[in-house]
Amino acid sequence: MVKRALLSVSDKTGIVDFARGLEKLDIQIISTGGTARMLRDSGIEVTDVADVTGFPEMMGGRVKTLHPKIHGGILCIRDDHDHMGEAQKADVEMIDLVVVNLYPFEITVSKEGVLLEEAIENIDIGGPAMLRSAAKNYRSVSVVCDPEDYGHVLKEIRSTGVVSQISREQLAVKAFRHTADYDAAIDTYLSKELLGQDVLRLNYTDGVTLRYGENWHQEAKFYKEAEVAGPTLANAKQLHGKELSYNNYIDADNALQTVKELSLSKPAVTIVKHNNPCGLSTGNTLLQALQAAWNGDPISAYGSIICTNTVFDLQSAEFLNGKFVEIILAPGFEHDALEYLKNKSANLRLLELPQFNEPFSVDNTYKYVIGGILKQSRNIGIYDKWECVTDIEYPEGIRGVSEFSLHACKCVKSNAVSLAYEYEDGCYMMLSMGAGQPNRVDSIRKLAVTKARENLRVIYERENPDMSFDDYCSNVFSKCVMASDAFFPFDDSVVHAAEHGIKFILSPGGSIRDKEVIDTANRLGVSMVFTGMRHFLH
């Protein structure tokens, strides 16, 4: 039974109401410092720690609870005869509930201009010691380090007089995790301040076993970043389908970031296969965007991942009839669409992410290499400048589709180019892309242009326009914008683009041969903008 509780908190949120609830249950409250003063000021009877230990607080409060009558009362194993005998002999009374949170070290060191001395004074010693003692003895003691837990702990004590075993286990793990994070923050700060060493400590929890890794013979798990908020796969809810694999997570993350890149009010859809967007489009409706994205590469769309920024509706679900898709990721699903898709396949994974259209809360990305880890800031933005470098002016009227093409190219693996055009007023489509080639020329002539013609063949045969296929392609290519993720080291990329009638090119610029590239563009009647921002993606 909970008869005696020790309360000593830095974050005093909710502590008065919690203590008042304990008092009504005739639980003796021990406290110290500012917590004791606050409780007394609120009319709650409190026993000072100093009255329990027989020693006053010492050394400016550095030594308060580090005493056998505190830690003995916490650590004593209740069903151990020797422990209880020693406690009785030393006049140590049991403490059944420990409520502690720690000095705000991380907040302190995040302040601009904070002094080392101030940071050190905000290193809690007694608090972590009590948390660890109580967590170690969780079979007999309940430990609370988070004000969010006050409510359900108090409810359990009111109901049964005790905190349940499962709650004590959960609270103990939470306390150890809290002190581990606290010590990691101290290590990170002092390593830099005292040793000049940059330390990276990551915190990931809730490991889930996946179906398999990149290949069937590899094992894999997914860990969630602690307290991550916003639109991430860690916060997605699976509504239907079999469990995810390693590659599913990789591709779904690419799909999520690709759609989020657009930041448009219109419905947008991306179709991802092998970590590359093979289809990307916006539309006036979700169905229109989905159809255009699918037309971007119907062959690669087989077994793909679809992601949209719009609640998935029945018309779009029906469009997928007879089409094999691995995953659909959306902010939500209309009821009829959800039932239709569930009936479509028992294996189709449906992931709901209500936070989809919120901004990302993550600032950095990490990549593990054998023996180390790489950290970099997220690639935010698509250009640093917008400079037309050719004699032929770049039309302001195609700025929208040009930015769309840059967004698409940014999400394609390097060396990358993207071809995009405005297929309807205000609606954009990635016609094709060239990805992952050792040189950019192959990305253009062997992939992007070839794939564009294949995709246009399907559209041409459906629309049956009054012109030859070559003329139809030339007409579309003349409206396309080609974006490159990096500068052109030679003018051959411009030459191959112009050969197919592409008149508008975006490139970061920055090559020692920029003048040669610009001269070739002028000679071939191509309008080109330098953006000043490279978008390698490995």
Side-chain angles (χ1 to χ4, degrees), residues 118-193:
E118 181 183 358
I120 288 175
E121 285 307 310
N122 276 277
I123 296 176
D124 203 325
I125 302 300
M130 287 188 290
L131 287 177
R132 289 173 61 82
S133 293
K136 177 176 180 175
N137 202 24
Y138 69 87
R139 289 185 175 87
S140 301
V141 180
S142 303
V143 56
V144 181
C145 62
D146 184 354
E148 292 290 327
D149 293 319
Y150 292 166
H152 76 82
V153 167
L154 193 57
K155 183 178 179 180
E156 287 192 10
I157 299 174
R158 282 174 180 155
S159 176
T160 63
V162 300
V163 179
S164 67
Q165 178 174 329
I166 188 169
S167 290
R168 280 183 275 116
E169 291 171 352
Q170 292 170 345
L171 292 167
V173 171
K174 193 170 189 177
F176 278 124
R177 190 172 293 168
H178 184 49
T179 58
D181 293 342
Y182 194 75
D183 285 339
I186 295 169
D187 172 31
T188 300
Y189 174 78
L190 290 183
S191 291
K192 190 169 187 178
E193 290 297 314

Side-chain angles (χ1 to χ4, degrees), residues 35 45 47 61 63 72 110 114 138 169 211 213 284 309 334 349 351 372 385 432 456-457 479 510 512 528:
T35 306
E45 186 176 343
T47 300
V63 181
S110 68
V114 64
Y138 69 87
E169 291 171 352
R211 294 184 67 229
N284 292 314
N309 61 351
E334 291 182 359
R349 291 91 152 190
L351 302 183
K385 62 181 181 178
S432 66
L456 288 174
R457 171 68 71 178
K479 302 172 186 176
I512 59 173
M528 185 160 56

